[in-house]
PDB file of all heavy atoms in Angstrom:
ATOM      1  N   ALA J 545      -6.344  -8.588  17.795  1.00  0.00           N
ATOM      2  CA  ALA J 545      -7.267  -7.450  17.724  1.00  0.00           C
ATOM      3  C   ALA J 545      -8.609  -7.871  17.131  1.00  0.00           C
ATOM      4  O   ALA J 545      -9.666  -7.423  17.585  1.00  0.00           O
ATOM      5  CB  ALA J 545      -6.654  -6.331  16.893  1.00  0.00           C
ATOM      6  N   SER J 546      -8.576  -8.742  16.137  1.00  0.00           N
ATOM      7  CA  SER J 546      -9.834  -9.160  15.513  1.00  0.00           C
ATOM      8  C   SER J 546     -10.715  -9.912  16.505  1.00  0.00           C
ATOM      9  O   SER J 546     -11.940  -9.765  16.513  1.00  0.00           O
ATOM     10  CB  SER J 546      -9.585 -10.000  14.259  1.00  0.00           C
ATOM     11  OG  SER J 546      -9.139 -11.294  14.609  1.00  0.00           O
ATOM     12  N   VAL J 547     -10.075 -10.689  17.376  1.00  0.00           N
ATOM     13  CA  VAL J 547     -10.823 -11.427  18.403  1.00  0.00           C
ATOM     14  C   VAL J 547     -11.382 -10.444  19.423  1.00  0.00           C
ATOM     15  O   VAL J 547     -12.577 -10.442  19.739  1.00  0.00           O
ATOM     16  CB  VAL J 547      -9.924 -12.485  19.083  1.00  0.00           C
ATOM     17  CG1 VAL J 547     -10.618 -13.104  20.280  1.00  0.00           C
ATOM     18  CG2 VAL J 547      -9.514 -13.562  18.073  1.00  0.00           C
ATOM     19  N   GLU J 548     -10.501  -9.560  19.930  1.00  0.00           N
ATOM     20  CA  GLU J 548     -10.930  -8.639  20.979  1.00  0.00           C
ATOM     21  C   GLU J 548     -12.013  -7.666  20.492  1.00  0.00           C
ATOM     22  O   GLU J 548     -12.937  -7.336  21.222  1.00  0.00           O
ATOM     23  CB  GLU J 548      -9.721  -7.867  21.501  1.00  0.00           C
ATOM     24  CG  GLU J 548     -10.054  -7.096  22.768  1.00  0.00           C
ATOM     25  CD  GLU J 548      -8.817  -6.424  23.349  1.00  0.00           C
ATOM     26  OE1 GLU J 548      -7.814  -7.136  23.547  1.00  0.00           O
ATOM     27  OE2 GLU J 548      -8.866  -5.210  23.584  1.00  0.00           O
ATOM     28  N   LEU J 549     -11.877  -7.214  19.246  1.00  0.00           N
ATOM     29  CA  LEU J 549     -12.850  -6.241  18.720  1.00  0.00           C
ATOM     30  C   LEU J 549     -14.043  -6.923  18.051  1.00  0.00           C
ATOM     31  O   LEU J 549     -14.936  -6.246  17.524  1.00  0.00           O
ATOM     32  CB  LEU J 549     -12.173  -5.303  17.717  1.00  0.00           C
ATOM     33  CG  LEU J 549     -11.006  -4.474  18.260  1.00  0.00           C
ATOM     34  CD1 LEU J 549     -10.272  -3.771  17.133  1.00  0.00           C
ATOM     35  CD2 LEU J 549     -11.508  -3.465  19.290  1.00  0.00           C
ATOM     36  N   ASN J 550     -13.987  -8.270  18.042  1.00  0.00           N
ATOM     37  CA  ASN J 550     -15.089  -9.031  17.475  1.00  0.00           C
ATOM     38  C   ASN J 550     -15.334  -8.721  15.999  1.00  0.00           C
ATOM     39  O   ASN J 550     -16.474  -8.549  15.568  1.00  0.00           O
ATOM     40  CB  ASN J 550     -16.351  -8.759  18.310  1.00  0.00           C
ATOM     41  CG  ASN J 550     -17.300  -9.930  18.272  1.00  0.00           C
ATOM     42  OD1 ASN J 550     -16.937 -11.003  17.759  1.00  0.00           O
ATOM     43  ND2 ASN J 550     -18.504  -9.743  18.773  1.00  0.00           N
ATOM     44  N   MET J 551     -14.249  -8.627  15.241  1.00  0.00           N
ATOM     45  CA  MET J 551     -14.356  -8.371  13.803  1.00  0.00           C
ATOM     46  C   MET J 551     -14.162  -9.704  13.071  1.00  0.00           C
ATOM     47  O   MET J 551     -13.154 -10.377  13.280  1.00  0.00           O
ATOM     48  CB  MET J 551     -13.281  -7.384  13.338  1.00  0.00           C
ATOM     49  CG  MET J 551     -13.183  -6.087  14.119  1.00  0.00           C
ATOM     50  SD  MET J 551     -14.642  -5.045  13.956  1.00  0.00           S
ATOM     51  CE  MET J 551     -14.510  -4.515  12.265  1.00  0.00           C
ATOM     52  N   ASP J 552     -15.107 -10.054  12.219  1.00  0.00           N
ATOM     53  CA  ASP J 552     -15.003 -11.341  11.519  1.00  0.00           C
ATOM     54  C   ASP J 552     -14.202 -11.262  10.231  1.00  0.00           C
ATOM     55  O   ASP J 552     -13.765 -12.270   9.707  1.00  0.00           O
ATOM     56  CB  ASP J 552     -16.400 -11.886  11.203  1.00  0.00           C
ATOM     57  CG  ASP J 552     -17.109 -12.286  12.485  1.00  0.00           C
ATOM     58  OD1 ASP J 552     -16.409 -12.653  13.446  1.00  0.00           O
ATOM     59  OD2 ASP J 552     -18.349 -12.202  12.521  1.00  0.00           O
ATOM     60  N   LYS J 553     -14.058 -10.033   9.707  1.00  0.00           N
ATOM     61  CA  LYS J 553     -13.344  -9.871   8.440  1.00  0.00           C
ATOM     62  C   LYS J 553     -12.015  -9.154   8.677  1.00  0.00           C
ATOM     63  O   LYS J 553     -11.976  -8.090   9.294  1.00  0.00           O
ATOM     64  CB  LYS J 553     -14.181  -9.048   7.456  1.00  0.00           C
ATOM     65  CG  LYS J 553     -15.404  -9.790   6.958  1.00  0.00           C
ATOM     66  CD  LYS J 553     -16.203  -8.945   5.967  1.00  0.00           C
ATOM     67  CE  LYS J 553     -17.215  -8.072   6.672  1.00  0.00           C
ATOM     68  NZ  LYS J 553     -18.083  -7.327   5.763  1.00  0.00           N
ATOM     69  N   ILE J 554     -10.935  -9.742   8.164  1.00  0.00           N
ATOM     70  CA  ILE J 554      -9.603  -9.135   8.242  1.00  0.00           C
ATOM     71  C   ILE J 554      -9.151  -8.826   6.820  1.00  0.00           C
ATOM     72  O   ILE J 554      -9.091  -9.720   5.973  1.00  0.00           O
ATOM     73  CB  ILE J 554      -8.596 -10.097   8.910  1.00  0.00           C
ATOM     74  CG1 ILE J 554      -9.012 -10.400  10.362  1.00  0.00           C
ATOM     75  CG2 ILE J 554      -7.184  -9.524   8.857  1.00  0.00           C
ATOM     76  CD1 ILE J 554      -8.161 -11.472  11.032  1.00  0.00           C
ATOM     77  N   VAL J 555      -8.870  -7.547   6.576  1.00  0.00           N
ATOM     78  CA  VAL J 555      -8.499  -7.094   5.237  1.00  0.00           C
ATOM     79  C   VAL J 555      -7.053  -6.592   5.271  1.00  0.00           C
ATOM     80  O   VAL J 555      -6.704  -5.780   6.118  1.00  0.00           O
ATOM     81  CB  VAL J 555      -9.452  -5.964   4.785  1.00  0.00           C
ATOM     82  CG1 VAL J 555      -8.964  -5.319   3.502  1.00  0.00           C
ATOM     83  CG2 VAL J 555     -10.872  -6.520   4.611  1.00  0.00           C
ATOM     84  N   ILE J 556      -6.220  -7.091   4.384  1.00  0.00           N
ATOM     85  CA  ILE J 556      -4.815  -6.658   4.353  1.00  0.00           C
ATOM     86  C   ILE J 556      -4.640  -5.701   3.173  1.00  0.00           C
ATOM     87  O   ILE J 556      -5.188  -5.940   2.093  1.00  0.00           O
ATOM     88  CB  ILE J 556      -3.850  -7.855   4.195  1.00  0.00           C
ATOM     89  CG1 ILE J 556      -4.340  -9.069   4.989  1.00  0.00           C
ATOM     90  CG2 ILE J 556      -2.430  -7.487   4.583  1.00  0.00           C
ATOM     91  CD1 ILE J 556      -4.405  -8.925   6.467  1.00  0.00           C
ATOM     92  N   ALA J 557      -3.892  -4.624   3.367  1.00  0.00           N
ATOM     93  CA  ALA J 557      -3.730  -3.634   2.298  1.00  0.00           C
ATOM     94  C   ALA J 557      -2.339  -3.031   2.313  1.00  0.00           C
ATOM     95  O   ALA J 557      -1.689  -2.959   3.356  1.00  0.00           O
ATOM     96  CB  ALA J 557      -4.776  -2.530   2.467  1.00  0.00           C
ATOM     97  N   GLY J 558      -1.869  -2.586   1.136  1.00  0.00           N
ATOM     98  CA  GLY J 558      -0.554  -1.948   1.014  1.00  0.00           C
ATOM     99  C   GLY J 558       0.464  -2.889   0.389  1.00  0.00           C
ATOM    100  O   GLY J 558       0.247  -4.113   0.325  1.00  0.00           O
ATOM    101  N   GLY J 559       1.589  -2.337  -0.032  1.00  0.00           N
ATOM    102  CA  GLY J 559       2.589  -3.085  -0.793  1.00  0.00           C
ATOM    103  C   GLY J 559       3.043  -4.384  -0.146  1.00  0.00           C
ATOM    104  O   GLY J 559       3.231  -5.392  -0.835  1.00  0.00           O
ATOM    105  N   VAL J 560       3.181  -4.388   1.184  1.00  0.00           N
ATOM    106  CA  VAL J 560       3.685  -5.584   1.857  1.00  0.00           C
ATOM    107  C   VAL J 560       2.635  -6.710   1.843  1.00  0.00           C
ATOM    108  O   VAL J 560       2.967  -7.874   2.080  1.00  0.00           O
ATOM    109  CB  VAL J 560       4.163  -5.245   3.292  1.00  0.00           C
ATOM    110  CG1 VAL J 560       4.720  -6.461   4.013  1.00  0.00           C
ATOM    111  CG2 VAL J 560       5.214  -4.137   3.266  1.00  0.00           C
ATOM    112  N   SER J 561       1.384  -6.385   1.498  1.00  0.00           N
ATOM    113  CA  SER J 561       0.363  -7.439   1.402  1.00  0.00           C
ATOM    114  C   SER J 561       0.683  -8.402   0.261  1.00  0.00           C
ATOM    115  O   SER J 561       0.056  -9.456   0.151  1.00  0.00           O
ATOM    116  CB  SER J 561      -1.037  -6.849   1.244  1.00  0.00           C
ATOM    117  OG  SER J 561      -1.166  -6.162   0.019  1.00  0.00           O
ATOM    118  N   ALA J 562       1.657  -8.061  -0.588  1.00  0.00           N
ATOM    119  CA  ALA J 562       2.098  -8.987  -1.639  1.00  0.00           C
ATOM    120  C   ALA J 562       2.947 -10.115  -1.060  1.00  0.00           C
ATOM    121  O   ALA J 562       3.185 -11.118  -1.726  1.00  0.00           O
ATOM    122  CB  ALA J 562       2.902  -8.230  -2.696  1.00  0.00           C
ATOM    123  N   ASN J 563       3.402  -9.963   0.173  1.00  0.00           N
ATOM    124  CA  ASN J 563       4.324 -10.944   0.752  1.00  0.00           C
ATOM    125  C   ASN J 563       3.648 -12.305   0.975  1.00  0.00           C
ATOM    126  O   ASN J 563       2.637 -12.417   1.675  1.00  0.00           O
ATOM    127  CB  ASN J 563       4.879 -10.408   2.087  1.00  0.00           C
ATOM    128  CG  ASN J 563       5.951 -11.311   2.645  1.00  0.00           C
ATOM    129  OD1 ASN J 563       5.661 -12.248   3.381  1.00  0.00           O
ATOM    130  ND2 ASN J 563       7.189 -11.050   2.279  1.00  0.00           N
ATOM    131  N   VAL J 564       4.223 -13.323   0.391  1.00  0.00           N
ATOM    132  CA  VAL J 564       3.593 -14.648   0.391  1.00  0.00           C
ATOM    133  C   VAL J 564       3.606 -15.287   1.787  1.00  0.00           C
ATOM    134  O   VAL J 564       2.630 -15.928   2.187  1.00  0.00           O
ATOM    135  CB  VAL J 564       4.269 -15.563  -0.654  1.00  0.00           C
ATOM    136  CG1 VAL J 564       3.743 -16.991  -0.563  1.00  0.00           C
ATOM    137  CG2 VAL J 564       4.041 -15.005  -2.059  1.00  0.00           C
ATOM    138  N   TYR J 565       4.672 -15.060   2.545  1.00  0.00           N
ATOM    139  CA  TYR J 565       4.710 -15.612   3.898  1.00  0.00           C
ATOM    140  C   TYR J 565       3.620 -14.964   4.755  1.00  0.00           C
ATOM    141  O   TYR J 565       2.924 -15.641   5.528  1.00  0.00           O
ATOM    142  CB  TYR J 565       6.099 -15.416   4.533  1.00  0.00           C
ATOM    143  CG  TYR J 565       6.159 -15.907   5.961  1.00  0.00           C
ATOM    144  CD1 TYR J 565       6.089 -17.262   6.258  1.00  0.00           C
ATOM    145  CD2 TYR J 565       6.243 -14.993   7.024  1.00  0.00           C
ATOM    146  CE1 TYR J 565       6.109 -17.710   7.570  1.00  0.00           C
ATOM    147  CE2 TYR J 565       6.273 -15.428   8.340  1.00  0.00           C
ATOM    148  CZ  TYR J 565       6.203 -16.783   8.601  1.00  0.00           C
ATOM    149  OH  TYR J 565       6.216 -17.220   9.907  1.00  0.00           O
ATOM    150  N   LEU J 566       3.433 -13.651   4.589  1.00  0.00           N
ATOM    151  CA  LEU J 566       2.354 -12.953   5.315  1.00  0.00           C
ATOM    152  C   LEU J 566       0.990 -13.530   4.913  1.00  0.00           C
ATOM    153  O   LEU J 566       0.142 -13.803   5.769  1.00  0.00           O
ATOM    154  CB  LEU J 566       2.400 -11.444   5.032  1.00  0.00           C
ATOM    155  CG  LEU J 566       1.213 -10.614   5.517  1.00  0.00           C
ATOM    156  CD1 LEU J 566       1.078 -10.646   7.038  1.00  0.00           C
ATOM    157  CD2 LEU J 566       1.337  -9.153   5.054  1.00  0.00           C
ATOM    158  N   ARG J 567       0.789 -13.719   3.634  1.00  0.00           N
ATOM    159  CA  ARG J 567      -0.485 -14.246   3.145  1.00  0.00           C
ATOM    160  C   ARG J 567      -0.775 -15.629   3.732  1.00  0.00           C
ATOM    161  O   ARG J 567      -1.851 -15.872   4.283  1.00  0.00           O
ATOM    162  CB  ARG J 567      -0.468 -14.332   1.610  1.00  0.00           C
ATOM    163  CG  ARG J 567      -0.553 -12.989   0.944  1.00  0.00           C
ATOM    164  CD  ARG J 567      -0.425 -13.093  -0.559  1.00  0.00           C
ATOM    165  NE  ARG J 567      -0.688 -11.791  -1.136  1.00  0.00           N
ATOM    166  CZ  ARG J 567      -1.742 -11.487  -1.908  1.00  0.00           C
ATOM    167  NH1 ARG J 567      -2.608 -12.398  -2.253  1.00  0.00           N
ATOM    168  NH2 ARG J 567      -1.926 -10.252  -2.348  1.00  0.00           N
ATOM    169  N   ASP J 568       0.215 -16.517   3.633  1.00  0.00           N
ATOM    170  CA  ASP J 568       0.007 -17.894   4.096  1.00  0.00           C
ATOM    171  C   ASP J 568      -0.203 -17.948   5.595  1.00  0.00           C
ATOM    172  O   ASP J 568      -1.120 -18.610   6.096  1.00  0.00           O
ATOM    173  CB  ASP J 568       1.216 -18.766   3.719  1.00  0.00           C
ATOM    174  CG  ASP J 568       1.293 -18.967   2.213  1.00  0.00           C
ATOM    175  OD1 ASP J 568       0.305 -18.649   1.521  1.00  0.00           O
ATOM    176  OD2 ASP J 568       2.352 -19.414   1.724  1.00  0.00           O
ATOM    177  N   SER J 569       0.649 -17.212   6.308  1.00  0.00           N
ATOM    178  CA  SER J 569       0.597 -17.269   7.754  1.00  0.00           C
ATOM    179  C   SER J 569      -0.706 -16.650   8.287  1.00  0.00           C
ATOM    180  O   SER J 569      -1.342 -17.192   9.208  1.00  0.00           O
ATOM    181  CB  SER J 569       1.844 -16.547   8.263  1.00  0.00           C
ATOM    182  OG  SER J 569       1.737 -16.268   9.605  1.00  0.00           O
ATOM    183  N   MET J 570      -1.119 -15.529   7.690  1.00  0.00           N
ATOM    184  CA  MET J 570      -2.368 -14.880   8.126  1.00  0.00           C
ATOM    185  C   MET J 570      -3.564 -15.795   7.878  1.00  0.00           C
ATOM    186  O   MET J 570      -4.418 -15.967   8.743  1.00  0.00           O
ATOM    187  CB  MET J 570      -2.548 -13.543   7.399  1.00  0.00           C
ATOM    188  CG  MET J 570      -3.692 -12.700   7.899  1.00  0.00           C
ATOM    189  SD  MET J 570      -3.395 -11.970   9.543  1.00  0.00           S
ATOM    190  CE  MET J 570      -2.436 -10.520   9.122  1.00  0.00           C
ATOM    191  N   LYS J 571      -3.609 -16.394   6.695  1.00  0.00           N
ATOM    192  CA  LYS J 571      -4.742 -17.272   6.356  1.00  0.00           C
ATOM    193  C   LYS J 571      -4.817 -18.444   7.316  1.00  0.00           C
ATOM    194  O   LYS J 571      -5.881 -18.797   7.818  1.00  0.00           O
ATOM    195  CB  LYS J 571      -4.583 -17.804   4.922  1.00  0.00           C
ATOM    196  CG  LYS J 571      -5.079 -16.831   3.865  1.00  0.00           C
ATOM    197  CD  LYS J 571      -4.978 -17.485   2.484  1.00  0.00           C
ATOM    198  CE  LYS J 571      -4.576 -16.459   1.448  1.00  0.00           C
ATOM    199  NZ  LYS J 571      -3.823 -17.002   0.325  1.00  0.00           N
ATOM    200  N   GLN J 572      -3.641 -19.013   7.585  1.00  0.00           N
ATOM    201  CA  GLN J 572      -3.594 -20.194   8.440  1.00  0.00           C
ATOM    202  C   GLN J 572      -4.040 -19.867   9.867  1.00  0.00           C
ATOM    203  O   GLN J 572      -4.904 -20.546  10.421  1.00  0.00           O
ATOM    204  CB  GLN J 572      -2.165 -20.704   8.439  1.00  0.00           C
ATOM    205  CG  GLN J 572      -2.060 -22.149   8.822  1.00  0.00           C
ATOM    206  CD  GLN J 572      -0.597 -22.556   8.911  1.00  0.00           C
ATOM    207  OE1 GLN J 572       0.307 -21.802   8.519  1.00  0.00           O
ATOM    208  NE2 GLN J 572      -0.361 -23.722   9.441  1.00  0.00           N
TER     209      GLN J 572
END
Side-chain angles (χ1 to χ4, degrees):
S546 74
V547 171
E548 191 175 307
L549 300 170
N550 208 9
M551 308 295 290
D552 292 331
K553 290 181 272 185
I554 297 173
V555 171
I556 322 296
V560 181
S561 65
N563 186 271
V564 173
Y565 177 69
L566 170 63
R567 287 175 173 247
D568 291 347
S569 166
M570 188 71 83
K571 277 184 217 151
Q572 202 185 351

